[in-house]
Amino acid sequence: MIEESISLIQPLDRIAMEKCQLRLDNLTKPLNSLHSFEHLALQMAGITGLPRPQNIKKSIILMAADHGVAVEGVSAYPQQVTVQMVKNYIDGGAAVTIFAEHVGAQLALVDIGVANELPPVLELHHEKIALGTGNIAVGPAMTLEQARKAIEVGIKIARQEIAKGSRVLGLGEMGIANTTAATAIIACYSSLPVAELCGRGTGISNEIFNKKIQVIETALAVNQPDSNDPIAVLSKVGGLEIAGLVGVILAAASGGAAVIVDGLITTAAALIAVKIAPNVKDYLIGSHISTEPAHKVALDMIGVAAHLHLDMRLGEGTGAALGMSLVNAALHVINDMKTFGEAEVEVAQDGPGALKQTKNVKD
């Protein structure tokens, strides 16, 4: 399933992008004056194959899993919070559920590795690979087989959402101590020391922060992940939800859907996905830049820009939802703004870029 998804990833539609660019350049504004919105419109044209994509259906796929490394005391919260938050998502009381409603996105919640058995009556995808990962400070997070199975779960869920009509998939996650695993993944590909990559997650004390740095350094020394084998990196120091999100990205790119990354954890998944299949990069859209140092490092390594600077560090897919609002605005630009000709506005002698109004347009 993984190899099949990779083989189906196509380059962006250049003809649709050229047509989109032509319209963007003739809208009633100086050239590239809406910058990021124009780039988003252009990217969506390439992904969908439509010069003027509109009415795009959206989904946020939230993967929930626990991390064995939590026993090392690297988080301010106990592991049972994962179960409690899963129920909160289902009840509609979490930030991501509010933000998803705000942008008209469906929320697909997946139990891929929560350390407790959840009742089958709960409205979520029951795709548990294991009751959480192993403690990466003493050994691998999971087996290679489990990592591949988790990726395949992500592919499966993403394909289901695409089959329902979604062409924009936001990435979300939940799992106590997952910033530790995500930072360890990014450290495998960065030349920076762990101390410069490590952040405070959900707001840990100085003591826990120093412990977190030590634990990540130990995990890398114990597991010796090979950066040339991204799935092995996942299995050694990653998380089940991170692996699942890798699958979502691969399936989205192979199915012609855009992927909006959120914060540190989802960007770690995006980094692994790009290492597996470099051409998925064209399908990735950045949302915000979090307060986690490793987040910006990973975005820079991938080559994806973050559009919002809001000092957020929540995760869940909240940033991805806000990124969807930017995509919505970009699509309004390409569809609802008028060109110089449509608005009967004269083009300056040096071409589009300076507004010279005709008598038919009010001052």
Side-chain angles (χ1 to χ4, degrees):
M1 185 183 288
I2 298 172
E3 288 72 19
E4 177 196 9
S5 292
I6 294 171
S7 69
L8 293 173
I9 300 172
Q10 299 295 317
L12 300 189
D13 189 323
R14 296 299 168 185
I15 295 176
M17 294 176 75
E18 288 172 5
K19 292 179 179 178
C20 179
Q21 187 68 65
L22 181 63
R23 181 171 179 84
L24 286 169
D25 288 347
N26 282 278
L27 294 177
T28 49
K29 59 173 181 57
L31 283 173
N32 201 31
S33 56
L34 288 176
H35 193 65
S36 293
F37 293 104
E38 297 184 46
H39 288 283
L40 287 172
L42 193 64
Q43 186 177 5
M44 287 303 300
I47 291 171
T48 63
L50 302 171
R52 296 173 67 177
Q54 54 188 314
N55 300 322
I56 299 292
K57 190 172 181 180
K58 303 171 290 294
S59 297
I60 297 174
I61 299 176
L62 193 160
M63 297 274 177
D66 281 305
H67 293 256
V69 74
V71 301
E72 299 291 336
V74 293
S75 175
Y77 292 91
Q79 199 165 63
Q80 58 261 37
V81 169
T82 304
V83 171
Q84 295 166 354
M85 284 304 300
V86 167
K87 293 178 180 178
N88 193 25
Y89 300 138
I90 293 170
D91 292 339
V96 69
T97 55
I98 303 304
F99 283 10
E101 182 179 359
H102 171 66
V103 295
Q106 293 296 312
L107 181 63
L109 179 59
V110 186
D111 171 12
I112 195 168
V114 177
N116 292 273
E117 294 292 352
L118 296 172
V121 294
L122 290 181
E123 296 179 5
L124 76 161
H125 297 273
H126 296 271
E127 298 284 353
K128 197 188 301 290
I129 302 295
L131 293 169
T133 56
N135 180 358
I136 61 175
V138 298
M142 66 192 94
T143 66
L144 274 171
E145 181 183 4
Q146 287 174 323
R148 291 184 66 88
K149 283 184 177 179
I151 293 172
E152 290 172 354
V153 167
I155 292 172
K156 172 185 172 182
I157 300 300
R159 286 180 175 177
Q160 290 175 356
E161 293 304 309
I162 292 170
K164 295 176 185 176
S166 288
R167 300 299 295 274
V168 177
L169 302 183
L171 305 182
E173 42 63 39
M174 175 62 207
I176 298 302
N178 60 8
T179 60
T180 298
T183 303
I185 288 173
I186 294 165
C188 292
Y189 296 97
S190 171
S191 60
L192 294 174
V194 171
E196 293 184 26
L197 294 171
C198 201
R200 295 182 179 271
T202 50
I204 56 178
S205 65
N206 288 335
E207 180 181 359
I208 297 176
F209 177 67
N210 292 327
K211 175 71 171 178
K212 184 177 179 180
I213 294 171
Q214 177 188 347
V215 166
I216 294 171
E217 291 174 339
T218 301
L220 295 173
V222 167
N223 290 289
Q224 294 291 307
D226 179 5
S227 61
N228 294 313
D229 188 343
I231 296 181
V233 171
L234 271 177
S235 71
K236 292 291 184 66
V237 297
L240 290 163
E241 82 280 37
I242 298 174
L245 293 173
V246 170
V248 171
I249 295 166
L250 295 176
S254 67
V259 179
I260 303 185
V261 298
D262 185 18
L264 173 65
I265 292 86
T266 66
T267 306
L271 179 60
I272 292 292
V274 169
K275 294 298 181 181
I276 294 173
N279 49 351
V280 305
K281 175 186 174 294
D282 291 340
Y283 291 81
L284 297 175
I285 296 173
S287 58
H288 74 114
I289 182 71
S290 76
T291 58
E292 291 285 319
H295 184 207
K296 184 180 186 305
V297 171
L299 287 171
D300 288 344
M301 284 193 287
I302 296 169
V304 172
H307 299 287
L308 299 170
H309 296 256
L310 302 170
D311 290 336
M312 289 170 54
R313 52 181 173 84
L314 177 58
E316 299 183 358
T318 49
L322 295 175
M324 288 177 173
S325 68
L326 300 181
V327 172
N328 286 345
L331 298 186
H332 279 299
V333 167
I334 194 63
N335 285 295
D336 300 331
M337 276 188 73
K338 290 185 177 182
T339 64
F340 285 94
E342 291 166 347
E344 297 183 338
V345 174
E346 290 184 8
V347 180
Q349 290 183 353
D350 56 352
L355 300 184
K356 180 181 177 183
Q357 295 180 327
T358 69
K359 62 181 180 181
N360 295 319
V361 181
K362 294 182 179 180
D363 293 334

